[in-house]
Amino acid sequence: MSVEQALTIADLKEQARRRVPKMFFEYADSGAWTEGTYRANEEDFHKVKLRQRVLVDMTNRSLASEMIGEKVSMPVAIAPTGFTGMQHADGEMLAAQAAEEFGVPFTLSTMSICSIEDVRSVTSKPFWFQLYVMQDRDFVLNLIDRAKAAGCSALVLTLDLQILGQRHKDLRNGLSAPPRFTPKHLWQMATRPFWCLDMLGTKRRTFGNIVGHAKGVGDLSSLSSWTSEQFDPQLSWKDIEWIRDRWGGKLILKGILDEEDARMSLGSGADAIIVSNHGGRQLDGAASSISMLPRIVDAVGDKMEVHLDGGIRSGQDVLKALCYGAKGTYIGRPFLYGLGAGGKAGVRRTLEIIRKELDITMALCGERDVKNLSRNNLHKDV
Ligand SMILES: Cc1cc2nc3c(=O)[nH]c(=O)nc-3n(C[C@H](O)[C@H](O)[C@H](O)COP(=O)(O)O)c2cc1C
């Protein structure tokens, strides 16, 4: 089956499973500990019921909208994900190009394989950059400056990873970038020949934003200890100030899941918050993103833009988040599965599937403009 034949994100996931070595496929398809929050993110979308309306003019529909003042062809951005260049060779560059052609924002992770400069070199419109705050502040300042120099139009500051949640699959798989060459790892790669061929054609196989930029990380042997020690457990609301000042552009806070934290973010000068639990990869047992969205919108939605990620697997899920008041959404695993399944064409297919599902669902709900969706399109008591 080619990516063009995939009808659902689940189809792309199965294609990716067959094309990407197990350790990297499972890096995407995993959550912390029992994976309860990872599952709840998806399952809770199914509990939200849509109001079907009939005999409404459905012509001239529009999915176009804005996120933080930027025009988007639909309010669905690509979420920042680490190791993306391990799902497919040069993965971040290909996904950024697919997003640009589709007219949606692409967010590059600090922990990407392709560097900020690599992605800049293959795109013509500004992309967004996600920042992890490391203890090595010089490295962080330099990273912010590099994102500025590359013309990034938003900084997405991730707040929910001051220490790492544990994913059992990664530990069992012995995940690393570049992969280790034990018999187990070699077997996983040998059984994925197309992935290997693509990988042999690129030199980008480790963390491109870090190696050669962080003090003491000139080569790969020093990298793993640096990354595991570097996330800053003391990061606080005060730090947002110097980050915001150094950056000087649009700022999005990622990882808010509580009304109180949402209210705290009002004074931070941020332009938007992302309701997120890191795709269920950090605090297992936390509530799903969609279940927290209505209260967070009620708490701050009239003063600040609220976005959502976590568990979106269809255009219907996007629509439900918009109905609850999100101005934008992000997809993590759906684009990773598309990328693993077929590189740039696979990411394009992911976006096409979501766009079509969003459009048809909106029409059958009796709406023609994505900006008009509201809680009125959902059942309150079904
Ligand atoms: C494989 C993977 C790697 C991720 N890496 C990062 C990262 O480097 N920085 C970050 O802020 N979030 C990261 N996330 C979280 C995503 O940005 C996003 O919050 C999450 O994927 C949304 O859930 P979804 O995958 O169900 O769409 C990662 C998620 C996945 C699945």
Side-chain angles (χ1 to χ4, degrees):
M1 202 203 244
S2 71
V3 288
E4 279 72 28
Q5 289 169 301
L7 296 179
T8 63
I9 300 302
D11 288 345
L12 290 171
K13 179 175 180 179
E14 285 319 303
Q15 289 185 24
R17 192 194 299 277
R18 289 196 290 273
R19 207 174 188 282
V20 179
K22 182 168 178 276
M23 63 191 131
F24 297 120
F25 176 78
E26 290 194 343
Y27 169 67
D29 183 23
S30 59
W33 285 330
T34 69
E35 303 193 332
T37 297
Y38 174 31
R39 282 190 300 277
N41 274 349
E42 293 181 28
E43 287 164 5
D44 285 356
F45 270 109
H46 297 290
K47 297 181 187 159
V48 182
K49 299 296 175 207
L50 305 168
R51 279 181 69 200
Q52 168 182 306
R53 303 301 307 277
V54 295
L55 302 180
V56 180
D57 181 2
M58 292 178 181
T59 52
N60 298 325
R61 294 187 302 281
S62 167
L63 301 179
S65 188
E66 287 191 0
M67 289 171 74
I68 57 160
E70 290 187 20
K71 285 193 170 34
V72 292
S73 64
M74 63 177 177
V76 180
I78 302 288
T81 55
F83 270 88
T84 302
M86 286 290 145
Q87 303 295 333
H88 190 286
D90 297 335
E92 291 90 353
M93 292 155 76
L94 299 178
Q97 287 179 321
E100 177 173 312
E101 287 165 19
F102 212 87
V104 296
F106 172 80
T107 318
L108 183 71
S109 164
T110 292
M111 302 307 289
S112 57
I113 301 294
C114 305
S115 68
I116 301 176
E117 293 77 15
D118 288 333
V119 174
R120 174 71 191 91
S121 72
V122 295
T123 49
S124 54
K125 289 189 204 126
F127 56 97
W128 296 356
F129 181 68
Q130 175 265 329
L131 182 71
Y132 277 133
V133 183
M134 307 296 196
Q135 296 183 47
D136 180 345
R137 291 291 198 256
D138 288 341
F139 170 73
V140 176
L141 293 172
N142 183 247
L143 208 50
I144 295 174
D145 293 347
R146 286 168 61 198
K148 265 208 277 200
C152 293
S153 56
L155 189 73
V156 176
L157 179 62
T158 299
L159 308 177
D160 59 3
L161 201 135
Q162 286 173 261
I163 59 167
L164 275 173
Q166 179 169 317
R167 293 184 300 272
H168 297 319
K169 286 175 189 154
D170 290 351
L171 294 177
R172 292 194 180 113
N173 285 331
L175 181 81
S176 64
R180 281 183 278 160
F181 289 98
T182 66
K184 181 175 86 177
H185 294 107
L186 282 173
W187 172 251
Q188 287 186 13
M189 289 186 278
T191 52
R192 299 294 184 270
F194 292 112
W195 180 93
C196 290
L197 275 177
D198 287 336
M199 268 305 162
L200 287 172
T202 182
K203 53 185 192 319
R204 300 177 189 91
R205 295 188 206 119
T206 189
F207 297 111
N209 288 327
I210 298 173
V211 174
H213 294 280
K215 263 197 285 303
V217 191
D219 62 17
L220 298 175
S221 55
S222 44
L223 177 68
S224 62
S225 55
W226 187 87
T227 36
S228 56
E229 287 159 12
Q230 273 294 328
F231 293 102
D232 186 353
Q234 288 188 313
L235 189 69
S236 76
W237 285 103
K238 276 201 219 94
D239 289 299
I240 295 182
E241 209 174 300
W242 63 259
I243 295 166
R244 198 192 58 209
D245 289 349
R246 181 76 170 210
W247 168 245
K250 293 270 167 72
L251 179 68
I252 302 174
L253 302 182
K254 175 171 185 282
I256 301 281
L257 201 66
D258 189 273
E259 293 123 289
E260 222 168 293
D261 286 337
R263 280 191 209 97
M264 304 268 286
S265 68
L266 285 175
S268 68
D271 297 277
I273 55 172
I274 309 178
V275 176
S276 171
N277 50 34
H278 217 101
R281 296 164 79 79
Q282 284 293 97
L283 179 62
D284 188 34
S288 66
S289 300
I290 190 68
S291 69
M292 292 309 294
L293 178 67
R295 324 169 186 206
I296 293 181
V297 168
D298 289 345
V300 300
D302 54 340
K303 300 181 193 74
M304 155 182 261
E305 229 172 270
V306 178
H307 300 171
L308 169 132
D309 77 20
I312 290 175
R313 299 293 176 269
S314 71
Q316 292 220 316
D317 297 339
V318 171
L319 179 129
K320 290 171 182 176
L322 299 176
C323 288
Y324 274 136
K327 291 280 175 286
T329 62
Y330 300 71
I331 48 171
R333 294 174 183 91
F335 102 85
L336 291 176
Y337 297 147
L339 181 68
K344 181 174 162 184
V347 179
R348 188 186 312 125
R349 188 70 191 141
T350 298
L351 293 166
E352 282 167 0
I353 289 171
I354 288 184
R355 176 172 62 191
K356 187 167 184 190
E357 292 167 338
L358 175 58
D359 180 46
I360 293 178
T361 306
M362 184 174 79
L364 293 173
C365 286
E367 297 288 349
R368 294 192 298 178
D369 187 340
V370 83
K371 294 195 285 296
N372 285 345
L373 294 167
S374 71
R375 290 185 202 184
N376 197 31
N377 299 109
L378 304 176
H379 280 294
K380 284 185 191 67
D381 43 14
V382 176

